Amino acid sequence: MDMIKIAFTFAAALGFAGCMGTAAAGEAPDVLVKRISTEVMDAAKADKEIQSGNQKRVLDLVDAKILPYVDFQRMTSLAAGRFWREATPNQQKQLTAEFRSLLVFTYSGAISSIKNQNLEFPPLRANQDAAGGVEVQTRVVQARGEAIQLNYRLEKQASGWKIFDMNIMGAWLIETYKGNFSAEIGKGGMDGLIKTLAEKNKKLSDGLSKPAKLTLRRRIGVQIVETDERIAHGSASAG
């Protein structure tokens, strides 16, 4: 979504991850998204390990290059809705960690599917309310088939712009998960949701050695639905 790609030189990416936040603080939201997306796309094309489907390599790169610019706590609180305010601080912390892992696992699979795609960046729409978030649009152009729409919502924070939602082929990530979270909490409470996500993440972690075989379109367009179905299935099986 999502969301997930990485640097030219891995040692340099790890070393510069901390200091890039200062430079990013002065970037406009569309400039930030364009820079990160371009770097990640170029890195994915150039790295043979990523091209061969080494998911561990991709996860390491995502952690270094993408995660500093994502506000996972806000993303999780919005997906949990009113249940977030009812959760204890420890439950909020656990849910954020598990949701973060789920999103990283889910969208990192798209990286190894990047081959000859290119990126387009439509102009940032004027008169957007920065207080409520700014939407930045991008398109992944493929040699065959329609372009894939990837939009981001960002919020201005003290350290710079942070991504807190993604729209993949017409589906906003937070809205996609909000219904599932509510249903899971209705069945087993907040602890039940956390347990379900943890079990899902363990399965995804155990499968890291398996190379990605889906196309980029299927990776980023279908993964959300597949993940939601498996969350629900896991809950039913546990019951």
Side-chain angles (χ1 to χ4, degrees):
M1 295 171 256
D2 260 85
M3 192 187 126
I4 3 227
K5 309 113 192 179
I6 303 20
F8 297 100
T9 307
F10 305 131
L14 291 170
F16 295 153
C19 66
M20 283 194 301
T22 302
E27 286 183 304
D30 54 333
V31 174
L32 174 65
V33 169
K34 182 176 182 179
R35 176 174 64 79
I36 296 174
S37 301
T38 302
E39 289 178 358
V40 166
M41 181 72 81
D42 290 345
K45 291 179 180 180
D47 190 274
K48 293 181 180 180
E49 289 294 319
I50 292 178
Q51 292 289 309
S52 66
N54 186 330
Q55 293 300 293
K56 179 61 169 63
R57 180 80 159 240
V58 174
L59 289 174
D60 289 342
L61 294 173
V62 168
D63 187 64
K65 191 68 174 179
I66 302 300
L67 300 194
Y69 305 106
V70 180
D71 187 345
F72 281 104
Q73 180 167 316
R74 184 178 184 198
M75 189 178 289
T76 306
S77 68
L78 291 173
R82 65 181 178 84
F83 300 105
W84 178 262
R85 296 186 295 274
E86 300 171 2
T88 67
N90 188 52
Q91 287 175 325
Q92 292 177 350
K93 181 179 179 181
Q94 291 183 65
L95 181 61
T96 300
E98 295 299 341
F99 191 37
R100 173 185 182 279
S101 295
L102 178 65
L103 295 178
V104 170
F105 280 132
T106 299
Y107 294 104
S108 63
I111 305 307
S112 57
S113 299
I114 293 176
K115 302 298 180 184
N116 298 314
Q117 294 86 356
N118 293 300
L119 294 168
E120 291 183 351
F121 303 93
L124 185 66
R125 291 181 299 169
N127 301 321
Q128 295 200 64
D129 180 11
V134 171
E135 181 178 339
V136 176
Q137 299 181 343
T138 73
R139 284 193 293 266
V140 181
V141 181
Q142 307 180 100
R144 297 180 181 179
E146 298 179 2
I148 300 171
Q149 190 74 33
L150 293 175
N151 297 347
Y152 303 86
R153 281 184 178 144
L154 297 89
E155 178 186 50
K156 184 65 177 294
Q157 299 182 3
S159 59
W161 290 93
K162 299 284 187 179
I163 297 168
F164 69 91
D165 203 358
M166 296 172 57
N167 185 312
I168 302 177
M169 298 171 66
W172 285 104
L173 183 148
I174 289 174
E175 287 301 318
T176 299
Y177 281 101
K178 184 177 289 186
N180 293 82
F181 278 19
S182 179
E184 286 299 310
I185 293 172
K187 295 174 184 177
M190 182 62 72
D191 288 336
L193 172 59
I194 294 170
K195 180 181 178 181
T196 299
L197 293 177
E199 291 173 348
K200 171 62 181 174
N201 287 331
K202 185 179 185 305
K203 291 180 180 179
L204 290 171
S205 179
D206 291 343
L208 279 181
S209 60
K210 298 179 181 180
K213 294 182 179 180
L214 297 180
T215 65
L216 180 63
R217 171 175 288 276
R218 290 196 61 202
R219 275 289 180 183
I220 63 179
V222 180
Q223 285 276 14
I224 294 179
V225 178
E226 289 178 341
T227 300
D228 288 340
E229 290 175 347
R230 289 168 186 169
I231 288 175
H233 178 70
S235 174
S237 298

